[in-house]
Amino acid sequence: MLSSTIRPILLLAAMTATGAAAAAPVGYTLDPAHTFPSFEADHMGISYWRGKLDSSSGKVVLDRDANSGTVEVTIDLASIDFGFDKLDEWARGKEFFDTAKYPKATYTGRLARFVDGAPTEVVGTLDLHGARKPLTLAIGRFKCIPHPIYKRELCGADASGSFDRSAFGLDAGKDYGFDMKVALRIQVEALRDE
């Protein structure tokens, strides 16, 4: 028989262990068929070029109890798609992305400003073209549902922000009056890991 002193200590230890298990962070893998970073860039002040990057991968870790988490998205820059083959080819070349030398871009960040259990912001950094700069993204939509086929949780979000591309050495067109600001959106869906 346990003494009255030891019994409460064991009960407290069991409750703490149970609470820690319930609060464990959960991992999610980005679905490349439903995750597309897209962008909007100025064309001489008269129009905007819009495009997307067709190949990306990454992970999300979410701890709802702690209102915290992390995001990592890796983007294959050779998958750029303006809808105009010659422009895509130019963007892959040495005058812009130079994908032979810098094939990937990476965004890493931490989920922040949780409201009702959902993050509303990602505070992170963008690694692009050999430079690393801070970039905060606003999360306009965040929702999780049971996946109808895989029977695991599926979460989706839409994040947006902007950055100065010349800060990454991507200043093509600056001498012609192009605005260096690029609007970035990342539409993402991620399936909970088994």
Side-chain angles (χ1 to χ4, degrees), residues 31 34 145-154 191 194:
D31 178 352
H34 291 88
I145 62 168
H147 194 288
I149 297 170
Y150 297 114
K151 308 303 180 195
R152 287 184 275 149
E153 187 177 42
L154 175 70
L191 190 61
E194 291 186 276

Side-chain angles (χ1 to χ4, degrees), residues 48-64:
Y48 288 101
W49 279 100
R50 293 180 178 91
K52 63 187 175 76
L53 293 132
D54 292 329
S55 179
S56 58
S57 61
K59 299 285 288 182
V60 174
V61 175
L62 179 61
D63 187 335
R64 287 186 177 90

Side-chain angles (χ1 to χ4, degrees), residues 23-186:
V26 177
Y28 301 79
T29 298
L30 269 58
D31 178 352
H34 291 88
T35 300
F36 294 100
S38 61
F39 56 89
E40 178 179 280
D42 174 62
H43 185 247
M44 297 192 295
I46 59 172
S47 67
Y48 288 101
W49 279 100
R50 293 180 178 91
K52 63 187 175 76
L53 293 132
D54 292 329
S55 179
S56 58
S57 61
K59 299 285 288 182
V60 174
V61 175
L62 179 61
D63 187 335
R64 287 186 177 90
D65 291 335
N67 281 340
S68 67
T70 58
V71 174
E72 182 174 326
V73 181
T74 300
I75 302 161
D76 177 4
L77 295 174
S79 72
I80 192 164
D81 182 2
F82 282 100
F84 180 35
D85 292 343
K86 286 188 177 181
L87 187 55
D88 297 344
E89 186 178 329
W90 174 85
R92 292 182 195 108
K94 287 186 178 182
E95 293 181 16
F96 202 66
F97 282 140
D98 193 2
T99 58
K101 186 174 181 181
Y102 305 106
K104 307 283 182 192
T106 304
Y107 180 77
T108 55
R110 63 176 177 77
L111 300 172
R113 296 185 184 232
F114 280 69
V115 175
D116 298 326
T120 63
E121 189 175 76
V122 188
V123 179
T125 57
L126 176 62
D127 289 286
L128 174 64
H129 201 249
R132 180 181 174 141
K133 304 289 180 185
L135 177 60
T136 296
L137 301 175
I139 299 175
R141 173 185 284 185
F142 181 90
K143 184 177 180 179
C144 298
I145 62 168
H147 194 288
I149 297 170
Y150 297 114
K151 308 303 180 195
R152 287 184 275 149
E153 187 177 42
L154 175 70
C155 294
D158 190 65
S160 61
S162 64
F163 63 93
D164 180 338
R165 65 182 171 89
S166 66
F168 295 88
L170 301 171
D171 59 359
K174 189 173 186 176
D175 293 342
Y176 295 104
F178 283 58
D179 186 341
M180 296 291 101
K181 183 178 175 182
V182 173
L184 175 67
R185 290 190 83 127
I186 303 178

